[in-house]
Amino acid sequence: MKTNRRIFLKRAALASAAVAAPQIVPASALGRDGFVAPSERIVMGGIGIGGRGTHDLNWMIGEPDVQFVAICDARKNRREAAKAVVDKQYGNTDCAMYSDIQQFLAERTDVDAVLIATGDRWHAPASIRAMEAGKDVYCEKPACLTMAQGQRIVETANRYARVFQTGAQRLSEPNHVFCIEMARTGRLGPIHTAYADCRWRDGLRHDWLPEEPEPPKEELDWDAWLGPTPWRPYNSGYVNHGWYHFYDTATDCAMWGAHTVAQALAGLDQTNLTTIDFEYSGPEASLVTRLSTGVKLVLYRVPGDVWQKCEYWHGSCGERFDGPKGWLAAADGYSMPDASSPELLREYRKVLAEYAARTQRPMNHVRDFFDCVRSRRPTVANPDVMYRSMCICLAADICGLLKRNLKFDLLKSEFVGDEEANRLRSRASREPWRV
Amino acid sequence: MKNWKSMLATVAVSLSVALPIQAQWQIPADPVAKQDYVAKLVATAQKPDAPLIERHAACRELAALGDKSAVPALAALLGDEKMSHMARYGLEPNPDPAVDEALRAALGQVKGKLLSGVIDSIGFRRDAKAAGALAGLLASPDADVAAAAAASLGRIGTAEAAAALEKAFAGASGEGLAVLGDGCVRAAGALCAAGKCDAAAAICDRVRASAAPRPVRMAATRGAILARGNGGTPLLIELLQGDDAGLAAVALRTSYDVSAPELTQALAGALPGLPADRQIPVLQALGNRGDASAVAAVIGLAANGSAPAEVRIPAIRAACQIGSASSLPALTELCAGSDPAIAAEAQAGLAGFPGAEADAAISKLMGAQDSKARCIGIDLAGQRRMASALPLLFKAAQDPDKRVSSAGYKVLADLGGPAEVPVLIDLLVKSGSSGAESALSAICSREGEAAAGALTGALGQAPVPSKQALLRVLRSAGGPKALAAVRGAAGDASAEVKDTATRVLCDWPSADAAADQLALAKTSTNPTYQILALRGYIRSIGDPKLAADQRQAMCREATALVQREAEKKLLLGALGNGANDAASLGIVMSHLGDPATSEEACVAAVSISERLLSKDPASVADPMRSVLKATKNEEILKRARRVLAQTRPKPASK
């Protein structure tokens, strides 16, 4: 981190006022028309900005106290497209481009925080490198391919006193927060079953695509693109989204579970949660898990895509809580949560007001990240939240791979009595990359 | 979403051609068969002429399954450029001590990036026996090897590893300061976890006083605070008060890792002496700690009128987050204060403030002398859904100040249930208040027929204006009892009551009054009633409870009566919303040629056709062709084309 870093505490004034009420950002921090002086802005860089990254970039770039200054991507066309978004926003051509992450992190000591939206294989390695370089990190989900990677993110964020947010943005959306709070506060009675949408597709591939000539390095550095994952010959299908389908570069249940399990967990009492049992029931069936607290957590899987209406919700990325006093569910595209009784929804405003008073967090995930960059408070989707939810997701993947029931100890981060499963908690990094 | 779907479909096609590979992860349950399976994996991994993909795949499975027998075969591949990584992949998670021996042996055999990889695997395994060999590699001329050794020694974190790192760090420069400093801080963390926190603190102190890059020194600073336990608090506070904003940020971030109440006290104690822009994050930290011992310091700042709003606002938020009842008197005073930003913040906080004490404080506010404060209290009672405030809300509803009365009725409308209906009826009859009528309507629309009895009971004795209001409320309640009362009132001696009842019948929210509406539309001598009744009748066609044949019959009746353009459009809308039969489609199509109703007819025709398509595709094809000619609305065109496309026979599957 640079020695002349802008005084973050001045920014804290802005963050303080921005929490849940951006309209009262004090005049002392804002210029006319809500403009924040460049010296007061959080300086950002983007790493691996593709489709989802561009969504995040457009979301973040609209925040008045944020300034993007650089884009780093192993792919030339992606670098240029993301730079165009940034330059258009600021009406100049100042956004710098980098193809090498190490060079970017070493040179741009002016960057306070980074948005990481690479392919999943690079989420953890990039996050760790950025935090070791003194940057705060907003990283898309899933934040890691293995439990070991997740643990390293937790360790690095702690050791370097960094702020980290995983992009589980539904933790900051009113409908989901309402369901979570209703469950958490006992308004549905003791929750006996929670559901999380883990639909994605039918498993992961282990094969290689036919080899194609590698493009020039300035267009795509294939070795860097692969990073710590096992080598395989180049094929354009991988870089054009195909990596989603391969074990070495993606996850299975964890892919969509990373979108939903954190919400399901947030609504449950985790005080005495120690272990979780996974009941394997086939590649296309929902994975029933049983928490040591007695709650059944269903990782919902059926053939078909995540956007199809199902028996528990009618959008993608849903979660549902069932208790003796009723049930509540939320998913994408809802104007209000689904409820077993309209009476449950009458507390909507009250519950959200209580959440706001208790947590002082905004209903805007990237705003929560920026507020925490200023205040140094852990984010709503901090490394511990990420790690616990990813452990469950990745344990589900291991259960699917080994095709047998497993018990996972959440406190020790290890499977109970299953050495083979424990060995799958990590994957050796390909040299010279380290995670 | 559409992009995702099309992208995945495209990718699925483009990926369909792939190299063949033997079936994987078919692990036999039988131990003997499993042993054989593992042996085959080992054989494949070490077979030089096997396809690389198969050798990699074997290593991937050996990561989970490989036993001691797999170690020599995989270890032999550590120097192979194409196999070294996958050999480590197979070895690294294998708990057999033979793996450690093999990796240590490889330290002296492999070079360059392959050596870095081996060192990384040793670090992952935290092989303390390798510390000496790794210490020797800290001075490697290959910077990546040295960096890997530093990282792995840090992970091993024994006293020997830490000593080696410290020694190398003392003589380091340039990039070495970063990797060795990081290794030292990592090792310090491991030492402290093993109970050697004094040694850890000493290491961290040396790194933070060094010329290492700033992120590493900041990491060391955090380590130095934490290694001291409660003894780290003075350092944390010193940094918070110091000139270095970056280190103050580290202190703040670290404060979130320390739950000790002593730190709460220290932060609260430091608060008054900090400059305003440092008070803010400290207030946020105190709020997050939720420790009531800080509440006096926090609420003191919140209530300090001479402090800047930028500090008072986070102070209010922190007080609400702590949630101690002792801050309630100040917060209730602030929420009715003259500074709008402060008041709004206090109100938002009280809306979600936990506990019955907060309810009591708000009840007290509802009885304040100042009417503005009473209004705020009423609004907060509504936000908190305070059932205990209902008596006070009734009192507020009768407040001579209209703002207070209106606020009271508004909240009663939201919170009231069947028990509140008789009291509200009394208020309505006594005062004729529109607020009472609105509150009753809101409650009755929620409670339905359960509330109708009290309303009809009051109807007979009520004076005319109240009777009119009660009739309107009966519409909100709905149901047979309410409808019967309204029908009865439609023959009332009072012209005003009769007029209101007739209008309520015309506007009845379900098809239960359809017969009354049709009769009025056909036979009333009052042209206004005729129009209102016809409109009500057409709206009734949209009642989802109607059977299809009932709806069709009503459509026919309405079609015969409709003359004006406005009602034609209403009818087309009603048909479009509910009809699913060819006859209704025919009615709609008859309006397609009229430019005044063509667009509404097109929308209705497409909507009906979408519902009709599955059971009678032949009947929708021609209407859809007509719609395609008649409209320019892109959305309707798209829907009509979609329907039309589905009427065409599908080619036989191959």
Side-chain angles (χ1 to χ4, degrees):
Chain A
M1 190 173 293
K2 56 272 170 202
T3 49
N4 61 345
R5 186 176 175 132
R6 286 157 308 289
I7 299 173
F8 87 96
L9 288 162
K10 282 194 176 173
R11 294 186 189 143
L14 181 64
S16 156
V19 173
Q23 70 275 18
I24 59 159
V25 172
S28 59
L30 291 180
R32 286 179 186 169
D33 305 323
F35 188 79
V36 180
S39 61
E40 298 292 342
R41 293 183 203 163
I42 296 168
V43 178
M44 292 283 298
I47 299 175
I49 307 300
R52 180 65 194 178
T54 303
H55 166 274
D56 292 345
L57 176 61
N58 280 315
W59 189 2
M60 290 179 165
I61 214 167
E63 293 294 316
D65 57 336
V66 169
Q67 176 100 25
F68 271 83
V69 298
I71 296 295
C72 175
D73 201 304
R75 297 173 70 183
K76 184 168 180 273
N77 59 342
R78 289 273 174 94
R79 285 196 296 275
E80 291 173 347
K83 171 182 163 59
V85 171
V86 175
D87 287 346
K88 187 180 174 193
Q89 172 75 15
Y90 301 128
N92 58 33
T93 57
D94 293 351
C95 181
M97 292 190 291
Y98 296 84
S99 59
D100 179 77
I101 186 172
Q102 300 287 43
Q103 183 196 1
F104 163 64
L105 293 173
E107 287 184 6
R108 295 310 297 252
T109 53
D110 59 326
V111 168
D112 300 312
V114 291
L115 159 64
I116 295 172
T118 58
D120 298 357
R121 73 205 168 279
W122 259 105
H123 284 169
S127 294
I128 290 162
R129 280 160 175 73
M131 291 191 286
E132 286 176 348
K135 320 294 186 199
D136 294 326
V137 170
Y138 183 101
C139 180
E140 263 306 331
K141 56 194 171 303
C144 51
L145 289 187
T146 67
M147 294 183 195
Q149 287 186 351
Q151 210 159 28
R152 288 276 291 117
I153 288 175
V154 174
E155 289 166 7
T156 311
N158 284 340
R159 191 162 73 254
Y160 280 83
R162 291 298 94 201
V163 168
F164 174 94
Q165 170 99 299
T166 190
Q169 78 277 6
R170 291 169 190 83
L171 285 171
S172 304
E173 291 180 2
N175 285 342
H176 293 281
V177 169
F178 172 73
C179 294
I180 289 166
E181 289 297 298
M182 287 288 284
R184 195 188 65 79
T185 56
R187 286 173 163 99
L188 301 175
I191 300 299
H192 54 75
T193 311
Y195 302 84
D197 195 346
C198 293
R199 289 175 289 177
W200 177 241
R201 56 342 174 39
D202 48 352
L204 291 167
R205 294 168 58 163
H206 294 273
D207 56 350
W208 288 353
L209 298 178
E211 184 166 7
E212 292 176 0
E214 283 186 32
K217 266 201 171 178
E218 62 272 18
E219 275 179 35
L220 172 73
D221 185 335
W222 177 237
D223 186 63
W225 188 94
L226 285 171
T229 63
W231 181 88
R232 59 178 57 216
Y234 174 78
N235 180 291
S236 55
Y238 297 122
V239 293
N240 294 318
H241 309 294
W243 59 265
Y244 278 112
H245 300 267
F246 291 86
Y247 176 83
D248 283 344
T249 48
T251 53
D252 188 12
C253 193
M255 166 70 84
W256 221 248
H259 294 62
T260 58
V261 170
Q263 289 90 270
L265 279 181
L268 302 177
D269 181 1
Q270 298 180 58
T271 317
N272 298 311
L273 177 58
T274 54
T275 61
I276 174 167
D277 284 281
F278 294 80
E279 298 173 3
Y280 179 71
S281 50
E284 292 188 340
S286 287
L287 188 58
V288 173
T289 76
R290 299 191 189 273
L291 310 188
S292 55
T293 51
V295 175
K296 183 164 80 171
L297 171 63
V298 179
L299 307 180
Y300 180 70
R301 306 262 284 175
V302 289
D305 68 45
V306 293
W307 294 281
Q308 284 176 357
K309 184 179 176 181
C310 71
E311 58 190 299
Y312 302 117
W313 45 76
H314 52 85
S316 65
C317 302
E319 82 277 344
R320 173 171 145 153
F321 300 100
D322 286 14
K325 295 182 185 170
W327 58 262
L328 280 164
D332 289 355
Y334 278 31
S335 55
M336 283 290 278
D338 281 345
S340 53
S341 154
E343 200 57 30
L344 290 171
L345 299 177
R346 292 189 69 195
E347 296 219 313
Y348 192 81
R349 275 180 70 203
K350 179 185 180 185
V351 168
L352 293 182
E354 286 173 358
Y355 172 82
R358 181 175 67 81
T359 67
Q360 295 298 331
R361 293 199 188 275
M363 289 292 163
N364 176 333
H365 205 55
V366 303
R367 188 65 250 168
D368 183 57
F369 172 67
F370 293 130
D371 290 348
C372 293
V373 168
R374 294 179 183 283
S375 70
R376 312 312 297 164
R377 178 190 183 192
T379 61
V380 69
N382 60 57
D384 292 329
V385 170
M386 176 278 295
Y387 181 60
R388 176 161 274 201
S389 58
M390 284 308 297
C391 272
I392 292 175
C393 294
L394 292 164
D397 275 1
I398 292 170
C399 178
L401 193 63
L402 296 177
K403 302 181 185 69
R404 61 176 177 250
N405 295 350
L406 296 173
K407 182 191 266 298
F408 188 74
D409 186 324
L410 287 157
L411 304 182
K412 295 180 181 168
S413 287
E414 65 183 30
F415 292 96
V416 178
D418 196 317
E419 185 195 304
E420 288 169 4
N422 276 326
R423 291 202 207 178
L424 293 168
R425 292 174 300 163
S426 66
R427 301 177 195 172
S429 297
R430 186 171 63 93
E431 62 281 346
W433 312 98
R434 285 188 290 279
V435 178
Chain B
M1 186 188 297
K2 282 179 184 169
N3 288 344
W4 263 92
K5 283 181 174 177
S6 61
M7 178 193 90
L8 291 173
T10 309
V11 168
V13 170
S14 72
L15 298 185
S16 60
V17 181
L19 291 175
I21 184 165
Q22 65 188 36
Q24 293 177 19
W25 297 102
Q26 303 300 324
I27 306 164
D30 172 62
V32 177
K34 193 169 181 176
Q35 212 167 9
D36 186 46
Y37 185 78
V38 170
K40 281 180 185 162
L41 291 173
V42 172
T44 304
Q46 64 186 348
K47 196 174 171 190
D49 55 348
L52 194 58
I53 183 175
E54 293 191 6
R55 299 180 72 192
H56 277 202
C59 293
R60 200 179 283 108
E61 288 197 68
L62 285 170
L65 305 175
D67 53 16
K68 192 171 185 175
S69 72
V71 177
L74 293 176
L77 299 172
L78 290 171
D80 181 330
E81 283 276 347
K82 288 188 173 174
M83 286 300 298
S84 183
H85 168 236
M86 291 310 291
R88 285 194 296 108
Y89 195 113
L91 286 169
E92 198 177 274
N94 183 340
D96 196 291
V99 173
D100 295 316
E101 288 164 22
L103 290 172
R104 285 199 296 273
L107 287 175
Q109 293 163 3
V110 299
K111 300 214 176 325
K113 68 177 186 178
L114 303 191
L115 176 56
S116 298
V118 169
I119 294 168
D120 188 38
S121 289
I122 289 172
F124 174 82
R125 295 173 66 85
R126 291 186 166 87
D127 176 13
K129 289 181 185 169
L134 293 182
L137 291 168
L138 289 174
S140 169
D142 183 330
D144 194 54
V145 167
S152 288
L153 280 167
R155 292 176 92 168
I156 290 167
T158 58
E160 184 190 0
L165 284 164
E166 274 223 281
K167 186 179 170 195
F169 181 71
S173 60
E175 177 61 17
L177 282 168
V179 295
L180 289 162
D182 175 76
C184 285
V185 177
R186 277 195 208 206
L191 283 178
C192 196
K196 298 171 183 170
C197 290
D198 289 346
I203 293 172
C204 289
D205 284 345
R206 280 191 281 278
V207 175
R208 73 190 183 99
S210 74
R214 191 160 164 81
V216 175
R217 283 185 281 130
M218 292 169 92
T221 302
R222 175 183 178 276
I225 294 169
L226 293 180
R228 287 175 165 84
N230 278 347
T233 299
L235 174 58
L236 190 151
I237 298 296
E238 178 195 324
L239 294 171
L240 207 52
Q241 294 166 329
D243 294 333
D244 189 322
L247 291 179
V250 170
L252 268 169
R253 174 67 184 78
T254 307
S255 76
Y256 286 90
D257 298 329
V258 180
S259 58
E262 291 83 356
L263 181 57
T264 309
Q265 290 299 306
L267 289 169
L271 196 57
L274 291 170
D277 56 2
R278 291 209 180 177
Q279 286 176 328
I280 294 162
V282 171
L283 284 164
Q284 290 167 327
L286 285 169
N288 198 73
R289 297 178 76 79
D291 183 339
S293 68
V295 80
V298 168
I299 203 68
L301 264 178
N304 182 353
S306 57
E310 287 80 0
V311 171
R312 296 180 70 194
I313 287 173
I316 292 168
R317 290 175 178 175
C320 293
Q321 217 175 345
I322 293 168
S324 166
S326 61
S327 59
L328 285 167
L331 286 171
T332 45
E333 194 175 328
L334 289 172
C335 78
S338 57
D339 184 322
I342 299 291
E345 202 57 48
Q347 288 165 30
L350 280 175
F353 201 97
E357 292 99 333
D359 286 348
I362 286 158
S363 295
K364 199 172 165 191
L365 197 60
M366 290 171 74
Q369 285 262 300
D370 175 32
S371 61
K372 183 183 150 201
R374 294 204 295 282
C375 284
I376 291 167
I378 292 164
D379 180 59
L380 286 170
Q383 288 193 56
R384 295 174 64 85
R385 305 193 61 75
M386 283 168 48
S388 62
L390 283 166
L392 291 169
L393 288 169
F394 278 117
K395 192 178 167 195
Q398 299 167 76
D399 196 290
D401 187 315
K402 282 193 172 170
R403 286 173 306 170
V404 177
S405 169
S406 167
Y409 278 124
K410 194 176 155 203
V411 176
L412 278 169
D414 190 28
L415 296 190
E420 281 66 50
V421 169
V423 191
L424 279 167
I425 291 172
D426 274 353
L427 280 173
L428 174 65
V429 171
K430 279 180 198 156
S431 67
S433 158
S434 62
E437 184 183 336
S438 299
L440 271 172
S441 286
I443 296 168
C444 290
S445 65
R446 277 197 305 272
E447 303 298 335
E449 209 171 1
L455 296 168
T456 53
L459 208 54
Q461 303 302 317
V464 167
S466 301
K467 198 178 267 188
Q468 289 174 287
L470 289 169
L471 287 166
R472 288 188 291 266
V473 174
L474 279 167
R475 182 197 172 277
S476 299
K481 196 184 284 181
L483 181 58
V486 174
R487 276 184 186 132
D492 198 278
S494 158
E496 290 96 330
V497 171
K498 190 173 175 176
D499 177 68
T500 302
T502 306
R503 287 172 184 270
V504 167
L505 268 183
C506 291
D507 196 29
W508 200 251
S510 73
D512 295 342
D516 307 79
Q517 291 160 342
L518 184 62
L520 279 166
K522 282 182 173 173
T523 62
S524 175
T525 54
N526 182 329
T528 303
Y529 291 165
Q530 274 190 324
I531 291 171
L532 291 176
L534 179 57
R535 288 182 178 180
Y537 187 71
I538 293 170
R539 276 194 299 273
S540 295
I541 293 172
D543 186 336
K545 287 182 291 189
L546 281 179
D549 57 339
Q550 281 178 294
R551 182 176 289 112
Q552 284 166 25
M554 287 175 71
C555 282
R556 282 192 294 275
E557 292 279 11
T559 304
L561 290 170
V562 160
Q563 289 174 348
R564 302 181 342 148
E565 195 179 297
E567 283 76 42
K568 283 181 188 171
K569 288 181 177 177
L570 257 185
L571 177 60
L572 288 167
L575 287 166
N577 283 340
N580 59 356
D581 57 282
S584 298
L585 182 58
I587 294 171
V588 167
M589 294 308 291
S590 71
H591 291 276
L592 206 67
D594 181 351
T597 55
S598 177
E599 273 308 303
E600 285 78 7
C602 285
V603 174
V606 171
S607 299
I608 296 170
S609 298
E610 285 169 343
R611 289 191 283 271
L612 189 54
L613 180 65
S614 60
K615 60 179 179 184
D616 190 3
S619 69
V620 304
D622 282 343
M624 289 303 95
R625 288 189 192 100
S626 301
V627 167
L628 290 175
K629 286 178 193 159
T631 184
K632 289 191 168 55
N633 182 315
E634 281 299 327
E635 185 57 31
I636 297 303
L637 284 169
K638 204 190 298 176
R639 287 170 62 191
R641 284 193 200 106
R642 201 182 303 143
V643 172
L644 191 57
Q646 292 178 66
T647 65
R648 296 185 185 116
K650 290 183 182 139
S653 56
K654 290 175 184 173

